[in-house]
Structure formats: structure tokens, C-alpha cells
Amino acid sequence: MANLIGKSEKRIDGYDKVTGKGLYASDYYNQFPHMAYIKAFRSPYAHAKIKKIDYTKAKALPGVIYILTGYEDVRWDDFPKMAIIAKDEVLWAGQAIALIAAETEEIAEDAVKLIDCEFEVLPFVSDYYEAIKPDPVSVIDPEYETRAQGFQDRPADRATNRVSPNIVGAYYMHTGDLEQGFKEADIIMEDEFSVGKKTASPLEPATAICKYEPDGGLTMISNGAGVHGVIKEHICRVLGMPESKVRVIQPYMGGSFGSRLSPYVELQTALMAMRIKRNVSYRFTRKEVFTAGPSNWSCTTKVKMGAKNDGTIIAHDYYLCEEIGACVNNTFFSGRLSSSGAAPCYRFPNMRMDTFAVATNTVPAAEYRGLGCPEAEWGIEIMVNRLAEKLKMSPVDIRLKNIIDPGERDIYGEVITSIGLKKCLLGVNEVIKVEEKPVQDGSVWKRGKGCAVAGKQNTPLGRSEAKVWYNSDGTIQLFISCDENGMGATTAMGQICANEFGVDLKDVKVIKGDTLCTPYDNYSASSRTTYNTGNAVMIACADCINKLKTEVARVYGLNPKNVEIKGKKAILKGTYVQEVDIPPLFKHWTMFTQGNWGLQQYSPVVGYGVYCPAPIHQWGPDGKSDRVWNWFQYSACAVEVAVNEETGVVKVVKIASSADTGNPINPEIVKSQIQGGVHMAIGFTTMEEHLYDEKGAQSNANFSDYRLPTIGEMPTNENVFALINPDPLPDGPYGAKGMAESITVPVGPAIEEAIYQAVGVRLNYYPMTAERVLAAIKEKKAREAAK
Amino acid sequence: MSEIEKIRVELTVNGKHHVLYVSPCKTLLEVLREDLNLIGTKRGCDDSNCGVCTVLVNGQAIKSCTMLIPLANGCDITTIEGLEREGGLHPLQQAFIDRFAVQCGYCTPAMILTAKAILDENPNASEEEIRDGLHGNLCRCTGYTKIMEAILDVRDGKYKESCGEV
Ligand code: FES
Ligand code: FES
């Protein structure tokens, strides 16, 4: 059996998915009898007091089973109750006020319309600038106790020590001597940057089906992430249920991109099922996917950099604020996560980071592919491009001068063990050749080129376990609980397992995501699956192989050292045979043996593996520590765009993107992630953004008005280049690391630079919509005319 | 809605004739998924903007979430379940696997059916024409590059059978 690592094996879920046979959460609807359906009555206002609410008419509607409100006696523990249901006060338009279970979805919908609710509208805060201005409106009315955990009074502005009631957390870091750095700089540039709010929008809306078990337990089938570490844990905690009575199954997921790590629909469905002791389902409408949450968190950054004439960046003063919506959910908000994007790429010998997070009366934010890094690195990468221009340097050279080399320390003081970023940058530049001017055709479409780089940390997120069975017929079963959002993790895990045993991928059956039989894993986030679960799989395989060696050795009276396992064969040293088939060594039990020792038919040899990355070390008052993150993934992107100078429309005509994935387990799956990642980033940096009406409600919460990129936004195939430039990760399985997040990060700043090269306008905000680009072009013309 | 009288609808789905009594308010998507248990056709938005509900109605790629069932009466419908044959997968299905054009797979049945409609109508469709034809089908995962590769492979005869007659 040839080495399977680095081989593009076909996806193990391909057949299921091209035939429509693979089941997704909503495909289980037909399988459950006596099902109740949930619909929610949601707040139309961004901020209001619930003065009076009358459910009488809704309750009286035939077919309505139960109406669940914020007054239920539930042990919320440390889960933000407001994310599930409101009480007294609503904090964003879309927050659930009542959940109605009825015999059909239609009846539940009718009942929603019969709820009579009187609001006292309160002033609201819808963006970062309002949230931090002097004496801002408070996102949560001080009269109420709905103030969430995590809200702390922190200085919003260190200089003035002004405290905003909307600040939820802060983080501060400095290294070197910033003042001295700026003194030594030959040029200093600064600017402020910001981005819009976006929704990950997996095509399958959040869906949960909860089967009520006669023993008072429940079985949850949902497309949420983290069967153990998110869904089961939260159900047990919030509902106070015994672990023995909660089972969570994750069928195929129609995408997540981080958004399904927030178990809103799961908790709502489970609560209802336990109230009415029936099977219950809840499927978000597309509108709810937008307005019930989560969105990403947007960031506002201020970037001030000082550089020497040779391009060395010696001082960086960085300010960042995360805008997190109306409540702190199960993420940590202090600006630390997003600002980590400032760390992995460049040396920045003298740097200060001053970051915090602020709440607003908008949909609560949560993970979105990249964890704030696209937002955080946007301004940094643009600034590096601007420095290059000012210094008359190539944007490639200035980066090569400042990019960290393997073995160096980052700003926190951590050693970077794997960084292939220079190779990535050179790779994409070879395709796009950013230093060469593009050919202009004399039309209104002006061409420009640009590039950028990015890094994204991997947060150590706890434990992954794996279990492997070597069956008596020589087939192998792998049990894991990582998520399969679509990224191909189960195929990669299968490849690792098959490789360890020396068998074909088809000989390994991967069983995934069922808390009843698959062992613990926190969840798939921070691009950790290949690394974390992958290591657990390798350990489990080694354990199983060792046990198998011991058993085979017994049969032949050997030291297990002298046995080697190669798929269905054992290679023996020092006895009368050199090679034996393993399956015949498994004996059928008889009355005379009882099968109480040795290898027995239908009783698999079991291996078990646990992998936990080393814990991080608490940082000091200077924010530094020798272990803040785990490892870093890297990407570079270069683009050629065409900008219509009359309409402002931006078309990406050619794109090259490169990923440092460590050693890729399955290169074609990685390439498909690269292509999907750049496409997603083209969407959110040129098109997608939440818009709000005068009530503070999202006015484009549907796919007609919130446009996702289609195939038309992707360059034609010959103009898409997906490259892999690995620097093996020493502690990754076969040197692999994750890669799905950093891909999206450099796309926006590369496009921004290309727009500038094409039509001479700078943008500090994305999405860089046609309207914004056109406005900038007009402004530039007016400025020139005035001269 | 429950008070509305059911109507009689005849459909041929994947070559099989069905007589159904259903509410006229139901969409073709709901009838396929709920009444016929053909769950390979997905639902993503309900307002004709994501394309994951695409099926072939008399050979045309149609978004079934916005087609009310009376309009489908008498029509010949192909869903993803109708593509696999005894001898194996439809070339487009095989090409999607071979070219890694599938990630989460939620858009896949609709993508394959839309591609089939495009190639059935014009077996020599150019990349530009295929792009136009796929414009109404969203994919959040793949960036479409590999989807296009798969379709081009089938167009270029890399698979023994040509696209067509199912
Ligand atoms: S479900 Fe989205 S177009 Fe039909
Ligand atoms: S593969 Fe996930 S939406 Fe297309």
C-alpha cells in the first residue's frame, strides 16, 4: 500500500452527496412521528421595553401546543439567556420573545401573528462610533438585570480613561519601545479602517430536530457544530439534564463557516421538547439566519506604522475594537482574538496593541471563518501597501523584508515553528507579477494589480479523542467527533487512519458525530481539526496496532517487537513463517474455548487516542507570553482587477492564492478550500453587508438584497490559481496543519491595492461596493478639478 | 391553509407516474420532499435566490421552491434521485466526485441538475455559457472552480456516456 499522505484520495462522502442520498438535518423531518414545529415571535425593534404581552389569542388557536417565554424557570448557568429568549427588554431586532410549538409550521406561523405585544421603544446603538461616543446610549438599559456576563466597565479610551457602559472587555499588549521606534522611522503613516457586518450564510439554514425519549432524555439531530463540546454540553448545562440521557447526532452539514458553533436553535428546540414531551423541530428561515444570529463581529482599527527607508517597519501602533452585537455569547470578546491577526506575519519590533470590544443593539456576533482576522488585518495590509508605495518599493519586497522567518519570535514572544509565508507570496507573485503594469485596453474598465499576505493563529481548544476498531475480517472502523462542515475532514482523518494501518482508504469506515458511539471532541474551530483530531487518530491507531501486535505475537510465541502490521497481514521476524494473514487468527468461539482469551471473531481490537495541545500561558501586564497561541497558518493572495470608472463596479479578473498548510494530507481538497475561501472573501469584501432601517432592524435579511457571490463573481477557471506552499508543522500529523481560515484574509487588501492601481482611489472600508468605489472616484475627480 | 381543498395532481417523477391529492398552496419542493420523500432536493431560502431546490421540469432547470404545485401538474420531473442508473452514476455525478466539486454538498444535487439542463440543451456550451447557466445556483464552499472543471470534463467527453437521456 502506497503512502496515502499528500495523495488526493476521492472524498469518502462524495457518493452520498452527488446522489442526494446523504442525509442532512432537515431530511430527518419525515422520520419522526408526532412532531411539533416551532416558530418564533421576534422583536421588530433594536431596543425596547416589553410593556405588555398577551398570548391569549395565540394560545387559543387550535393546534397550538405551547408558548415558551423568557419567564420559564431555566438554569441559564453561564449561557447568555438573551441569545435564546428575551425577558422584559429586547436588545436587537430579531431577538426571540416567544417560541410557539404547534402541530404544523403553518399553525405556528399563524399563532405568531396573534401575539399582542406592546413595546416602549428605547434609544438604540447600531454601530461602533455611537457605542463609544461620550455618554453613549446604553445597549442594555440599566433598569434591567439583563446585563450579560462579561460586561465590565473598562476604559474605552485609555488616553482619556473614559468609560463606556457598552465596553465588554479589553486587552493591551506592548513590546519594544514604541516611541523610540517612531523616532528612528524615516516615514510614518497612519489611518483608520473599518468593515461591514456579514453573515456566514451556509446554504442549509440552522435546523434542529429533537426526539423526546420515553425515559425523559432526548436525541438531538442538528446541523450544529460540536456534538459533544457545544451541543451536548450546553443542553446538559442549561436544561440540567444528566449526560446519560442526552444524545446528539450530526448528520451531513450544509456548511457552517463558524456560524453553527452557536447552539441557539438546538437549545430552543431542546427546551421545547422537554416542556411538551414530544418530538420537536425548528428550522430557521433565511431571515432568521440573518437576524436571529449569529453574524460576524466587525472591527474598527487604527493603524500607525513607521518604517526605515529600506522598508523595515520598526514601529506599529495598533488600535482595534470589535463590535459584537447585543450580547456576549460563548466567545471571549476583548479584541484579543481579532488582534492576533497583527502578530503572525511581520516582526514589528516595537509595537503597541490597544484593543477592546463594544456591544451594540444588533444581532449577537460569533465565529465566522477567520475569527476577526480578515477585519483586523485589513488595515495592516493596506498600510504595508501604502508604505511600499511611499518608499517606492515593490509590495512584495517590503513584505519579504519584514516577514518572520521560522524559529524567530512573534510580538508576543512565541517561537514561530512553521511559516511558509515568503514562499506563498513569491508563488502568487509569479502568477500575477504585481510589479509589472497590467495591460490597459483603453475602455472604461481600468486594470490594476495588488497583493497581500495573512496569518491566522490556531487557538488551543482542548481535547480530541479517537477510537479505532480493527475488526476480525481486517476491516477498520474509525470513530471521531470532529465536525464535517464540508471541508473534507472525515476524508483526511480516514486517510491518516488508513495510512497508519497500511490499507486503502476504502478499507476504513469513518463513523462520525454521534455522542452515543463517537468519543469526545470539543468542536471544529480555529482550523484545528486536521491537527487536533488528526493527532488523536494517529495515537488511536498506534494503540490499536500495538495491541494487535501483542495478540499476533502470542499466537506465534514472539516478542511484539518482532511483529509488524501491514493491513490484513502481519510480518513476523524470527519464527517459522515470515508473513501471515491476520483475519484467520481471529477464532470463532466454541463451548470448549468460550473465546475468553486471544483474538476472537466479531470482537474488534480497539485502539484509543487522546490529544490535547499544551495549555497557553497567562500573559503578563504587557500582554506577552511565550505561549498565547498554538501555531499559525499562512496565505498570500495576488489579484488583477478591472474597475469600471463610470460605474465603480469591481471585477476580479485573475486571482492567485497560496496556502501554507503544512504538509497537506489531501492536496485537491486543500485547493478546493482555497478556491472556496477566496470566493467567499470576494463576496464579503466587495458585496456583502448588513444594512439597517430607521428602527435599527436589518433591512436586507434575505438573499435578494444581501447578495452572495455567484459564479459570475469568480474569475474564469484559467484565471484562478490555487497554490500550496507548505512549511511542515513539527507537531502536526505528518507535518500538516489547518488552512481554511487564513485564505480569506489577504483577498480584500489585495483587491483594495489593485483598485488603487487601476483608478487611483483608496478605500478604508469594505465591502468595496460599486457605490463606494464610484463615490471615491467622483471625490477624486472633484479634488483634481478644484486644484 | 388547512381548510383549502386539496387538488388532484399528476406528476411523472424520475420516470414514475404519481397521482397525488395535495393542497394547491404547496410548492413543488414541498411535494417532492414531504409527499414523495425525495429529500435530495434541498431548501435554502424560499425566495428563488439560492438555487439548491433546482429540479428539471420538462428538461428545464426550475427552482422548485417557487413553483406552486398546480403549475407542475402533468409535468415530467427529474430530481437527483433519478440520475443514478444501474450501470453506475450519471457522468456529471461521477465528474463531481472525481473533480472534488463537492464540499458540504448542500448545493450539489441542484448544481448537477442545472449542469445537465445546460449540457442537454447545448452539448458544446462554452465556459461563458455554462457560467451564465449556473448564475442562479449558489455554492458557499467551493468557489465554483471545481464545479466548472467537472462540467467541462463531461462536456469534453472525458466520460464514456454523453450527457442526456436519463
Ligand atoms: S430554496 Fe433557495 S431558490 Fe429555492
Ligand atoms: S458544496 Fe457547500 S454549498 Fe456547494
Side-chain angles (χ1 to χ4, degrees):
Chain A
M1 181 61 249
N3 186 0
L4 284 184
I5 304 305
K7 260 190 74 190
S8 295
E9 291 286 320
K10 300 278 145 59
R11 289 181 68 111
I12 58 175
D13 50 2
Y15 173 82
D16 296 17
K17 289 177 175 178
V18 300
T19 54
K21 289 191 167 83
L23 294 180
Y24 295 77
S26 51
D27 300 335
Y28 286 81
Y29 266 57
N30 304 14
Q31 300 187 5
F32 292 97
H34 203 45
M35 177 105 93
Y37 301 83
I38 298 180
K39 285 282 170 188
F41 173 67
R42 294 182 178 276
S43 169
Y45 298 104
H47 195 192
K49 184 174 173 176
I50 302 168
K51 291 261 293 212
K52 212 181 83 202
I53 188 153
D54 184 357
Y55 302 105
T56 340
K57 278 193 238 149
K59 262 192 185 143
L61 189 71
V64 169
I65 305 162
Y66 194 84
I67 300 183
L68 197 138
T69 69
Y71 298 89
E72 295 281 330
D73 188 20
V74 170
R75 195 180 78 173
W76 290 104
D77 207 341
D78 59 351
F79 195 84
K81 173 184 173 183
M82 62 186 75
I84 303 300
I85 201 147
K87 186 184 169 193
D88 302 332
E89 181 187 17
V90 286
L91 298 175
W92 79 91
Q95 187 178 9
I97 297 170
L99 298 169
I100 299 168
E103 298 294 342
T104 68
E105 266 185 340
E106 291 80 6
I107 296 173
E109 244 161 50
D110 287 346
V112 167
K113 291 179 208 135
L114 295 177
I115 290 177
D116 201 4
C117 188
E118 207 180 291
F119 296 97
E120 179 191 323
V121 179
L122 299 171
F124 63 89
V125 177
S126 63
D127 73 17
Y128 152 82
Y129 291 100
E130 287 166 40
I132 60 147
K133 70 184 181 195
D135 298 318
V137 164
S138 181
V139 167
I140 295 175
D141 199 284
E143 187 190 324
Y144 299 104
E145 341 135 37
T146 37
R147 204 169 168 78
Q149 283 87 6
F151 274 68
Q152 302 155 40
D153 292 328
R154 298 268 197 162
D157 182 335
R158 227 163 274 277
T160 59
N161 212 29
R162 183 164 48 74
V163 171
S164 159
N166 301 323
I167 305 292
V168 297
Y171 170 73
Y172 182 75
M173 197 230 74
H174 70 258
T175 187
D177 184 340
L178 189 67
E179 224 174 290
Q180 187 57 31
F182 278 120
K183 265 195 209 138
E184 286 170 22
D186 296 315
I187 60 161
I188 296 172
M189 293 180 85
E190 66 183 307
D191 214 334
E192 182 165 330
F193 302 89
S194 195
V195 305
K197 259 202 176 183
K198 62 196 179 189
T199 294
S201 308
L203 290 187
E204 182 185 27
T207 302
I209 297 175
C210 192
K211 182 166 178 282
Y212 180 78
E213 301 292 353
D215 66 355
L218 56 84
T219 300
M220 166 77 62
I221 296 172
S222 98
N223 54 10
V227 285
H228 286 280
V230 178
I231 303 174
K232 182 169 174 178
E233 184 180 321
H234 281 106
I235 289 176
C236 290
R237 258 167 48 191
V238 173
L239 276 72
M241 293 189 58
E243 290 170 48
S244 55
K245 289 192 177 176
V246 178
R247 176 183 181 190
V248 180
I249 299 170
Q250 179 191 75
Y252 286 129
M253 294 167 81
S256 166
F257 316 106
S259 70
R260 294 297 284 115
L261 287 159
S262 301
Y264 303 154
V265 71
E266 288 78 11
L267 281 174
Q268 289 166 334
T269 311
L271 271 169
M272 187 66 87
M274 296 313 284
R275 283 289 173 280
I276 67 174
K277 300 193 170 20
R278 274 181 63 168
N279 300 338
V280 176
S281 66
Y282 190 14
R283 167 167 61 188
F284 272 10
T285 60
R286 188 48 67 181
K287 184 174 179 190
E288 286 177 307
V289 174
F290 282 106
T291 61
S295 71
N296 79 318
W297 59 85
S298 50
C299 293
T300 301
T301 56
K302 295 179 196 171
V303 181
K304 181 177 173 187
M305 282 185 193
K308 307 281 276 180
N309 279 330
D310 68 356
T312 310
I313 302 168
I314 50 165
H316 184 189
D317 195 3
Y318 184 66
Y319 164 105
L320 175 143
C321 178
E322 295 167 343
E323 193 253 284
I324 66 148
C327 77
V328 179
N329 63 12
N330 48 355
T331 313
F332 315 96
F333 291 116
S334 63
R336 197 177 71 87
L337 293 177
S338 311
S339 65
S340 65
C345 297
Y346 303 117
R347 287 189 195 96
F348 296 143
N350 305 298
M351 178 163 185
R352 176 171 70 176
M353 293 209 292
D354 192 352
T355 77
F356 62 105
V358 69
T360 54
N361 293 108
T362 58
V363 65
E367 295 82 353
Y368 181 126
R369 193 179 198 169
L371 203 77
C373 287
E375 293 78 1
E377 293 175 55
W378 160 244
I380 296 174
E381 285 302 304
I382 291 180
M383 195 52 83
V384 172
N385 282 331
R386 290 186 193 175
L387 284 176
E389 192 206 7
K390 203 58 182 263
L391 293 167
K392 300 197 169 45
M393 271 182 96
S394 121
V396 177
D397 291 344
I398 192 170
R399 288 183 167 85
L400 293 178
K401 188 135 207 126
N402 291 287
I403 287 174
I404 294 173
D405 284 312
E408 280 188 68
R409 287 182 191 271
D410 66 10
I411 50 170
Y412 302 104
E414 304 171 287
V415 177
I416 302 272
T417 55
S418 155
I419 173 167
L421 188 55
K422 286 183 180 171
K423 278 193 282 179
C424 288
L425 177 60
L426 293 170
V428 296
N429 191 41
E430 218 174 279
V431 178
I432 304 288
K433 302 193 169 53
V434 288
E435 288 117 340
E436 290 172 22
K437 290 257 172 281
V439 186
Q440 305 289 356
D441 61 6
S443 74
V444 291
W445 291 97
K446 300 292 176 237
R447 299 271 181 141
K449 293 174 177 180
C451 68
V453 298
K456 159 77 180 52
Q457 43 79 12
N458 164 259
T459 313
L461 289 172
R463 174 180 186 118
S464 293
E465 299 175 21
K467 196 169 74 184
V468 62
W469 282 7
Y470 189 97
N471 292 312
S472 60
D473 62 357
T475 59
I476 291 160
Q477 275 163 278
L478 173 65
F479 299 80
I480 44 173
S481 294
C482 62
D483 302 314
E484 176 58 271
N485 310 319
M487 68 283 213
T490 42
T491 305
M493 294 306 114
Q495 269 177 261
I496 290 174
C497 177
N499 200 65
E500 289 296 293
F501 282 93
V503 298
D504 288 328
L505 179 56
K506 65 170 173 25
D507 296 329
V508 174
K509 165 83 188 155
V510 182
I511 296 117
K512 179 207 69 80
D514 180 348
T515 57
L516 203 59
C517 59
T518 61
Y520 188 88
D521 209 320
N522 287 51
Y523 38 81
S524 292
S526 209
S527 302
R528 79 195 268 270
T529 308
T530 303
Y531 168 83
N532 232 76
T533 314
N535 269 316
V537 170
M538 286 183 80
I539 295 167
C541 291
D543 184 37
C544 181
I545 288 168
N546 275 336
K547 287 183 181 156
L548 202 51
K549 279 182 183 172
T550 307
E551 294 294 344
V552 173
R554 269 195 209 154
V555 177
Y556 288 93
L558 288 171
N559 183 319
K561 268 201 328 223
N562 295 328
V563 180
E564 208 186 309
I565 306 296
K566 281 226 164 105
K568 290 185 188 181
K569 290 197 187 303
I571 315 296
L572 310 178
K573 251 195 283 175
T575 185
Y576 57 96
V577 279
Q578 278 73 52
E579 191 182 290
V580 289
D581 287 332
I582 297 172
L585 303 181
F586 286 81
K587 298 298 180 211
H588 194 59
W589 83 278
T590 70
M591 285 296 190
F592 301 99
T593 66
Q594 292 299 334
N596 53 6
W597 54 268
L599 296 166
Q600 188 197 295
Q601 266 183 17
Y602 300 105
S603 169
V605 174
V606 180
Y608 198 75
V610 181
Y611 185 77
C612 301
I616 63 172
H617 298 163
Q618 180 63 50
W619 47 95
D622 59 358
K624 291 174 71 172
S625 159
D626 62 349
R627 185 169 167 84
V628 190
W629 312 107
N630 203 3
W631 43 262
F632 297 92
Q633 52 178 308
Y634 293 96
S635 316
C637 178
V639 295
E640 179 170 342
V641 305
V643 185
N644 186 317
E645 54 175 359
E646 286 174 1
T647 62
V649 170
V650 177
K651 270 201 293 196
V652 178
V653 291
K654 194 170 179 179
I655 191 160
S657 171
S658 178
D660 165 18
T661 59
N663 286 337
I665 305 289
N666 186 315
E668 280 307 307
I669 291 183
V670 167
K671 283 186 186 167
S672 156
Q673 281 285 320
I674 295 176
Q675 292 152 350
V678 299
H679 178 258
M680 185 170 258
I682 289 173
F684 68 69
T685 58
T686 66
M687 310 165 71
E688 296 168 43
E689 162 175 46
H690 286 201
L691 302 172
Y692 300 96
D693 65 15
E694 60 298 336
K695 281 189 209 162
Q698 195 191 338
S699 57
N700 61 343
N702 60 67
F703 282 166
S704 306
D705 303 315
Y706 181 103
R707 297 302 287 177
L708 293 174
T710 68
I711 193 168
E713 274 70 50
M714 193 68 174
T716 51
N717 272 22
E718 58 178 15
N719 290 307
V720 177
F721 298 83
L723 317 171
I724 303 173
N725 291 102
D727 187 28
L729 182 69
D731 55 332
Y734 302 104
K737 53 185 176 182
M739 54 71 59
E741 293 178 287
S742 60
I743 284 298
T744 63
V745 181
V747 178
I751 294 176
E752 195 274 346
E753 176 66 17
I755 293 174
Y756 175 69
Q757 297 299 336
V759 290
V761 300
R762 285 286 184 197
L763 295 146
N764 290 11
Y765 185 93
Y766 75 63
M768 298 170 274
T769 56
E771 292 81 356
R772 287 204 177 93
V773 174
L774 186 61
I777 293 173
K778 282 188 177 152
E779 201 185 304
K780 178 182 168 238
K781 282 192 180 143
R783 240 185 297 123
E784 283 166 359
K787 261 191 211 157
Chain B
M1 178 151 148
S2 43
E3 285 115 57
I4 293 169
E5 232 176 90
K6 290 184 172 176
I7 58 161
R8 182 178 192 275
V9 178
E10 286 190 42
L11 300 173
T12 305
V13 183
N14 303 328
K16 232 174 102 185
H17 190 75
H18 295 271
V19 177
L20 300 164
Y21 290 86
V22 292
S23 157
C25 301
K26 276 198 159 184
T27 61
L28 174 59
L29 173 64
E30 287 164 339
V31 171
L32 290 172
R33 287 184 60 88
E34 294 161 18
D35 297 78
L36 297 175
N37 282 312
L38 294 168
I39 41 101
T41 307
K42 304 301 181 197
R43 167 174 164 174
C45 70
D46 287 334
D47 59 2
S48 205
N49 273 298
C50 75
V52 300
C53 62
T54 307
V55 297
L56 304 186
V57 178
N58 296 336
Q60 295 257 315
I62 297 286
K63 289 171 179 163
S64 63
C65 70
T66 31
M67 182 178 225
L68 285 171
I69 196 64
L71 285 172
N73 194 12
C75 289
D76 193 355
I77 289 155
T78 305
T79 69
I80 195 68
E81 288 87 351
L83 254 56
E84 194 179 358
R85 311 94 181 273
E86 246 167 59
L89 295 173
H90 186 280
L92 278 163
Q93 293 175 308
Q94 192 57 50
F96 268 59
I97 295 177
D98 294 347
R99 281 294 193 166
F100 296 82
V102 177
Q103 283 192 30
C104 82
Y106 203 68
C107 69
T108 306
M111 281 290 175
I112 290 175
L113 289 167
T114 307
K116 176 168 160 33
I118 296 167
L119 292 185
D120 282 350
E121 197 189 315
N122 179 5
N124 299 315
S126 66
E127 184 174 342
E128 215 34 61
E129 287 164 335
I130 297 170
R131 280 166 70 93
D132 280 352
L134 287 179
H135 194 264
N137 288 74
L138 293 179
C139 174
R140 284 300 274 162
C141 304
T142 65
Y144 306 95
T145 310
K146 290 187 181 296
I147 291 176
M148 180 61 78
E149 283 174 11
I151 299 170
L152 293 177
D153 274 0
V154 174
R155 180 199 69 182
D156 297 341
K158 298 237 167 79
Y159 293 84
K160 269 191 256 103
E161 276 173 284
S162 68
C163 203
E165 85 303 328
V166 172

